[in-house]
Amino acid sequence: MAGLTGRMSTIVKAKVSKVLDRAEDPAETLDYSYSKQLELLQNVKKGIADVVTSKKRLQLQEASMQQQVVKLDTQARQALAANREDLARVALERKQSVQTELQSLDSQIGELEAQQQKLIDSEAAMRAKLEAFRTKKEVIKAQYSAAEAQVRISEAATGVGEQMADVGLAMQRALDKTENMKARASAVGELEDSGTFEDLTQLGPGKDDIDRQLEAIGAGGAVDDELAKLKGEMGAGAPPPAALDAPAPAPDAAEPAQGAEPAEDAEPAQDAEPAQDAP
Amino acid sequence: MIVRIFSDGQYRIPEDAQPRLHELDVQTVNAIDADDEAAFTSSYGALVELIHSAGERLADDDLEPSDLMLPPSDITLEEAREEFTGEGLIPD
């Protein structure tokens, strides 16, 4: 049959028999494939470790992008509060693009996870077959004539050989995926280093241009916020502020109307970065 | 007949399910030839589904060789094409 199944079968059978044909007597066949299997299982262990490392790296990247989303969201709020809708828009646009990136990262991590699981399952099946094979070989040798035993052992060895090809493929696919992820992660790293990425999704804790512009208006906005917050906290004793009034129904964006300009008074309260607190 | 799906396992397929299996196999190959991703995904998905539903899974320690072997169920069209034109998916 010429279908996909036929093609795959032909290739695997050819490869398996190539391996098995190297040995002439049953015992040799067994020993040969047994050592071959042990070798393979060692490689699989390394392969799994590699996939895990790669996955962790992506997960770290994911975590820092999640922080970036929170940060951009905060910036957008701050900008709005300062009546800087333009700035808020930029922050939200960046947030969008980081979120898109996050989604693709998420699905890549998922794929890697799936490949890892397949590799682990394949390896487990391989171990099971290997054990069965070692037991069966003795049974066969005890029960059959040399010629018959040869046939039966070859058949059993073929079953093991198939599983070997299966593990081999699972490993190759997992490693291919891992390579792709590594390439991607280092591409992102390079963009960060060159500063290109900074514009879009700055990952580090440093300040970007939105921060700087916010700071520029911060003396007014953020300090006012601080003031308003402080006033709120201390409000208990003070004359009831606007708290119970109907909340300013102004439909235009910015709710914090404290923007009037008490900023002047607030000037001396220039903390290192008051912007951080406003959630 | 025993069928192996790579990265999955081996299944004993009853005779009455075999014609349908061959039919889906041919459809899958046609989809590869036509470079039709959607058709490939659906026909190969149906093929795997048929094996899962009609077949009886062999134990992991079963040593019977397979009569037919199929690529992993999440194989991409590109990988499947490689199977036909390149070295094949199976590493040495």
Side-chain angles (χ1 to χ4, degrees):
Chain A
M1 70 180 290
L4 189 60
T5 57
R7 170 82 176 148
M8 187 97 178
S9 312
T10 310
I11 293 169
V12 174
K13 280 175 185 156
K15 291 194 175 174
V16 170
S17 66
K18 204 168 92 190
V19 171
L20 296 180
D21 283 353
R22 283 182 208 152
E24 272 169 16
D25 89 2
E28 209 184 319
T29 307
L30 289 171
D31 292 343
Y32 181 75
S33 35
Y34 182 57
S35 66
K36 196 76 188 160
Q37 288 152 20
L38 289 182
E39 217 175 90
L40 183 71
L41 288 177
Q42 285 309 312
N43 284 336
V44 171
K45 274 204 167 30
K46 276 185 230 146
I48 292 174
D50 222 27
V51 173
V52 170
T53 308
S54 199
K55 199 176 70 185
K56 281 201 178 125
R57 197 164 161 185
L58 285 186
Q59 280 166 337
L60 281 177
Q61 220 171 50
E62 192 178 36
S64 83
M65 287 181 123
Q66 269 155 357
Q67 283 173 8
Q68 182 69 2
V69 166
V70 172
K71 181 184 173 188
L72 285 164
D73 191 66
T74 306
Q75 287 180 326
R77 285 165 197 269
Q78 289 171 351
L80 258 192
N83 277 321
R84 286 294 306 273
E85 203 179 318
D86 56 330
L87 209 52
R89 187 174 300 278
V90 175
L92 290 179
E93 278 166 8
R94 289 181 191 179
K95 186 180 154 191
Q96 284 285 324
S97 76
V98 178
Q99 276 174 329
T100 308
E101 189 74 6
L102 258 178
Q103 273 170 11
S104 97
L105 210 55
D106 212 44
S107 74
Q108 281 173 316
I109 290 173
E111 276 174 40
L112 213 51
E113 194 112 19
Q115 296 302 336
Q116 185 190 338
Q117 194 50 53
K118 283 182 180 171
L119 194 49
I120 290 169
D121 292 346
S122 263
E123 196 218 5
M126 176 83 182
R127 287 190 184 281
K129 278 196 163 51
L130 181 54
E131 275 317 298
F133 186 57
R134 294 175 59 198
T135 314
K136 194 163 180 175
K137 122 188 139 175
E138 300 310 325
V139 175
I140 290 174
K141 280 202 275 189
Q143 282 182 350
Y144 296 95
S145 70
E148 177 74 353
Q150 161 111 33
V151 171
R152 289 177 180 266
I153 286 172
S154 292
E155 196 181 271
T158 302
V160 179
E162 275 179 39
Q163 189 63 41
M164 229 195 280
D166 191 326
V167 180
L169 178 61
M171 181 135 115
Q172 187 189 300
R173 295 182 93 219
L175 292 183
D176 282 353
K177 278 255 165 11
T178 307
E179 282 310 307
N180 288 342
M181 311 265 157
K182 273 187 195 155
R184 189 181 170 285
S186 70
V188 171
E190 270 170 38
L191 282 175
E192 275 177 67
D193 291 345
S194 73
T196 314
F197 202 57
E198 199 169 294
D199 270 343
L200 193 68
T201 55
Q202 196 212 17
L203 297 175
K207 293 179 178 173
D208 58 25
D209 59 331
I210 298 186
D211 277 327
R212 285 188 287 272
Q213 289 196 54
L214 277 172
E215 268 166 27
I217 57 170
V223 174
D224 283 352
D225 284 353
E226 281 286 311
L227 254 187
K229 205 167 139 196
L230 272 181
K231 278 182 187 162
E233 282 168 14
M234 296 162 60
L244 287 180
D245 294 353
D252 27 1
E255 21 72 66
Q258 323 81 341
E261 68 255 275
E264 254 62 317
D265 308 341
E267 221 70 314
Q270 272 175 351
D271 297 348
E273 58 249 294
Q276 238 64 324
D277 293 328
Chain B
M1 182 171 74
I2 294 175
V3 176
R4 169 187 289 271
I5 303 176
F6 270 66
S7 291
D8 179 339
Q10 289 173 291
Y11 296 84
R12 193 183 304 278
I13 308 293
E15 221 159 283
D16 60 359
Q18 291 175 18
R20 177 69 182 142
L21 191 146
H22 290 284
E23 203 177 296
L24 287 168
D25 189 25
V26 170
Q27 274 181 30
T28 304
V29 171
N30 288 342
I32 297 172
D33 286 342
D35 209 12
D36 186 340
E37 182 98 51
F40 171 76
T41 308
S42 81
S43 55
Y44 194 54
L47 181 52
V48 169
E49 172 57 35
L50 173 72
I51 292 165
H52 284 168
S53 60
E56 177 206 341
R57 200 180 197 286
L58 299 190
D60 276 353
D61 62 359
D62 200 307
L63 291 171
E64 271 194 79
S66 311
D67 300 295
L68 280 182
M69 292 175 222
L70 275 71
S73 56
D74 63 347
I75 190 180
T76 62
L77 177 57
E78 199 184 323
E79 285 175 304
R81 205 182 301 114
E82 178 74 8
E83 187 56 38
F84 282 96
T85 56
E87 293 280 284
L89 294 176
I90 307 302
D92 279 315

